[in-house]
Amino acid sequence: MQPLPQGSTVAVIGSGAMGSGIAQVAAMAGHQVLLYDNRPDAAGKAVDSIRIAYSKLVEKGKLEGEAADQACARIRCIAGLPEAAGAALVVEAIVEDLEAKRALFLELEGIVGEDCILATNTSSISVTAIGAPLRRPQRLVGMHFFNPVPLMALVEVISGLATERAVADTVYATAESWGKNPVHAKSTPGFIVNRVARPYYAEALRLLLEQAADPATLDAVMRDCGGFRMGPFELMDLIGHDVNFSVTNSVFKAYFGDPRFTPSILQQELVNAGFLGRKTGRGFYHYGAGLEKPAPHTEGPQERPGTVSTIGGDISALEPLTTRLKGAGFDLTHHISFNPSPGFLCGGAAVYLTDGRSATQRALDEGHQDTVVYDLLLDAAGATRIALARADGCSEASYHAVVGLFQAAGFEVTRLDDVPGLAVMRTVAMLANEALDAVNQGVCSARAVDVAMQKGVNYPRGPLAWADAVGLRHVATVLGNLAAVYGEDRYRVSPLLRRKLALDPNGARVHA
């Protein structure tokens, strides 16, 4: 499908942060842009801000001055909707209210031509519901940009039940011609990103509720071990707890109370108190002049241990951690008979990658009191931190030997309380599980969900690619163990994951 021609007219209705960003990108791509806002002078102020944004790009050498001037000249404020009659595409970016959006599109239907595509930038409202009263709902499509629009690459192209495929394909191609990374999705609650991202917040809030660690420590683990750009607590503070809590509630209600999306009482309390994050000066952190974010908990230095061995029948899963330990001078002998699960033996402690059980439960199950589990690492070769949990019966000497082992390999070591699945592993497993359900339910493709989560919320790796790297069997084991601990449907394994494992228990993959 071809994109809309360069030079064709794009009308943007609403000149707030999203609308002005869309106008800026469309003009830069060569379109004539009409900008409308029913608030007096709002559109004019938006054009001024776009002009400043272009000027900054010129100053940084990212845009030629002539190109900036030409793009600015292509943007024109209009005084009323009838002036958008010749538009090839109208993008709505008004208040997130179903009736307001319906009223706007009903009015636009009487103004624009029959071939004009109508697009809504809604982040949460059903495209099907918005289009229901229209005479021709087949030309309505979701075109969900992410803020800030000029910087964020993702556009979710959302098809309602009535949306014609040719319309969605044209918008997809147009977004691509604007330099974006579009993905197709069905109109379902949360679309892709706002649905699949829920576990990133939900699991962190549960860990805090269970006193696994303080927010600063959990944020550091997610950043330094998991490779996420921002930890969940600092991100929620940035988004605003009123907004984040509202989205979670919206998705929870839209899925008729599915426990996967259950809101947190901790966040409810923050909203009740008016502690909404950065914008109010307090959320999980305090903000203000001279205030510094608390430091994460890091274990003090311990002596380097002597002999360290690998254990388990197949230790390939321990790479590249074994390479890093060898690089630190450890001669890793191997004991195949100790336990079939891959791990390390250090100072009398058995050390394993978490499988969703607590270290204490694993110590009981395997009859070895001195047990330590470590959290998932995005990049074991380059990570700066590793998170550990020790069984309640583990001796101080054995635990300190494990701390010394990882410190000798260049890690800062953080101890979490002995919660099942730790932080990164349980979060990644839940993200992957939700992504698999979205694919299984026809919301989007496997490729689309990975692109969406990387380009829309800057995840270091797509959740399904991450599941492939961890191993689908291990992801299912983690989820199964979490379900056994909590007794909740929240951790049910996706049918698609079970299906792939049934075909190939050891080598199953999402991506070929």
Side-chain angles (χ1 to χ4, degrees):
M1 185 63 67
Q2 293 297 310
L4 294 175
Q6 255 195 4
S8 59
T9 299
V10 174
V12 180
I13 313 302
S15 64
M18 297 303 293
S20 63
I22 295 166
Q24 178 181 330
V25 170
M28 197 68 250
H31 293 278
Q32 298 297 318
V33 176
L34 305 176
L35 187 59
Y36 173 76
D37 200 300
N38 60 8
R39 297 169 298 166
D41 302 323
K45 291 177 181 178
V47 172
D48 290 340
S49 71
I50 292 169
R51 187 175 291 110
I52 292 169
Y54 284 147
S55 296
K56 289 181 179 179
L57 291 174
V58 173
E59 290 172 7
K60 294 176 181 178
K62 295 182 178 180
L63 184 64
E64 294 293 330
E66 184 179 358
D69 291 340
Q70 290 173 347
C72 277
R74 286 192 285 267
I75 305 174
R76 179 168 68 88
C77 298
I78 58 175
L81 291 178
E83 294 183 62
L89 170 66
V90 179
V91 184
E92 165 274 310
I94 66 170
V95 63
E96 195 74 345
D97 178 81
L98 173 61
E99 294 308 319
K101 292 180 188 294
R102 281 177 167 176
L104 173 63
F105 284 118
L106 282 167
E107 185 174 356
L108 285 168
E109 268 201 315
I111 294 170
V112 300
E114 290 294 306
D115 294 334
C116 177
I117 294 174
L118 303 177
T120 172
N121 183 53
T122 182
S123 61
S124 60
I125 300 173
S126 164
V127 174
T128 299
I130 294 172
L134 300 184
R135 178 173 52 84
R136 292 187 61 227
Q138 61 267 32
R139 63 168 163 174
L140 177 71
V141 65
M143 196 176 188
H144 180 212
F145 292 84
F146 287 73
N147 194 28
V149 176
L151 298 180
M152 299 301 289
L154 183 67
V155 176
E156 291 179 318
V157 179
I158 312 299
S159 293
L161 285 179
T163 305
E164 283 186 354
R165 183 66 190 200
V167 169
D169 286 345
T170 299
V171 167
Y172 183 101
T174 299
E176 208 166 35
S177 74
W178 293 2
K180 298 300 183 183
N181 290 109
V183 293
H184 282 292
K186 284 200 310 190
S187 181
T188 52
F191 308 144
I192 301 175
V193 171
N194 279 334
R195 171 186 176 169
V196 176
R198 296 340 299 161
Y200 190 66
Y201 313 112
E203 294 309 309
L205 288 162
R206 172 162 278 190
L207 288 169
L208 184 62
L209 184 66
E210 295 179 358
Q211 304 180 79
D214 58 79
T217 298
L218 290 167
D219 276 346
V221 169
M222 297 304 291
R223 289 193 313 266
D224 301 344
C225 304
F228 290 93
R229 187 170 297 183
M230 296 183 74
F233 300 102
E234 56 193 349
L235 181 55
M236 284 185 277
D237 271 6
L238 176 63
I239 294 168
H241 292 286
D242 51 342
V243 175
N244 189 261
F245 186 68
S246 175
V247 173
T248 298
N249 269 290
S250 173
V251 175
F252 179 64
K253 291 175 182 176
Y255 277 104
F256 306 107
D258 189 326
R260 279 191 182 160
F261 308 112
T262 302
S264 167
I265 59 173
L266 289 180
Q267 195 168 42
Q268 173 72 82
E269 282 293 272
L270 288 174
V271 173
N272 289 343
F275 300 157
L276 305 182
R278 288 189 184 186
K279 60 187 174 185
T280 61
R282 180 175 175 182
F284 287 112
Y285 299 103
H286 292 264
Y287 300 90
L291 294 177
E292 294 185 4
K293 190 177 293 185
H297 170 74
T298 303
E299 295 283 56
Q302 298 296 329
E303 291 185 9
R304 178 188 176 98
T307 303
V308 180
S309 304
T310 55
I311 53 177
D314 179 11
I315 62 170
S316 61
L318 301 176
E319 288 289 352
L321 192 53
T322 51
T323 300
R324 181 162 174 171
L325 293 174
K326 288 176 182 177
F330 290 101
D331 182 16
L332 300 178
T333 57
H334 183 63
H335 289 282
I336 193 170
S337 61
F338 183 86
N339 190 298
S341 302
F344 302 95
L345 192 61
C346 173
V351 185
Y352 304 106
L353 175 65
T354 178
D355 66 356
R357 289 177 287 176
S358 65
T360 302
Q361 184 64 51
R362 187 155 191 172
L364 174 65
D365 293 344
E366 299 181 359
H368 191 81
Q369 186 168 270
D370 291 328
T371 293
V372 176
V373 295
Y374 62 91
D375 206 352
L376 179 64
L377 298 166
L378 171 69
D379 174 19
T384 58
R385 184 181 302 274
I386 192 166
L388 309 178
R390 56 184 283 189
D392 290 343
C394 182
S395 70
E396 288 287 322
S398 292
Y399 173 67
H400 288 158
V402 176
V403 172
L405 168 69
F406 288 117
Q407 288 175 338
F411 290 100
E412 289 187 292
V413 178
T414 287
R415 180 184 171 187
L416 301 180
D417 194 36
D418 189 21
V419 291
L422 297 180
V424 182
M425 180 64 85
R426 72 190 287 168
T427 300
V428 168
M430 286 293 281
L431 290 170
N433 202 44
E434 197 57 50
L436 283 160
D437 257 6
V439 174
N440 193 50
Q441 294 163 9
V443 174
C444 60
S445 68
R447 174 195 168 276
V449 74
D450 275 358
V451 169
M453 302 314 291
Q454 288 186 281
K455 300 299 183 181
V457 279
N458 293 313
Y459 283 5
R461 180 181 279 169
L464 298 183
W466 213 334
D468 281 343
V470 173
L472 298 190
R473 186 175 181 178
H474 193 81
V475 170
T477 298
V478 169
L479 293 168
N481 285 329
L482 289 170
V485 170
Y486 290 105
E488 296 178 24
D489 198 42
R490 172 186 181 124
Y491 298 104
R492 67 185 184 272
V493 177
S494 168
L496 182 56
L497 178 51
R498 291 189 184 279
R499 179 177 174 180
K500 287 187 174 294
L501 289 172
L503 177 65
D504 185 355
N506 296 313
R509 295 178 60 83
V510 179
H511 298 293

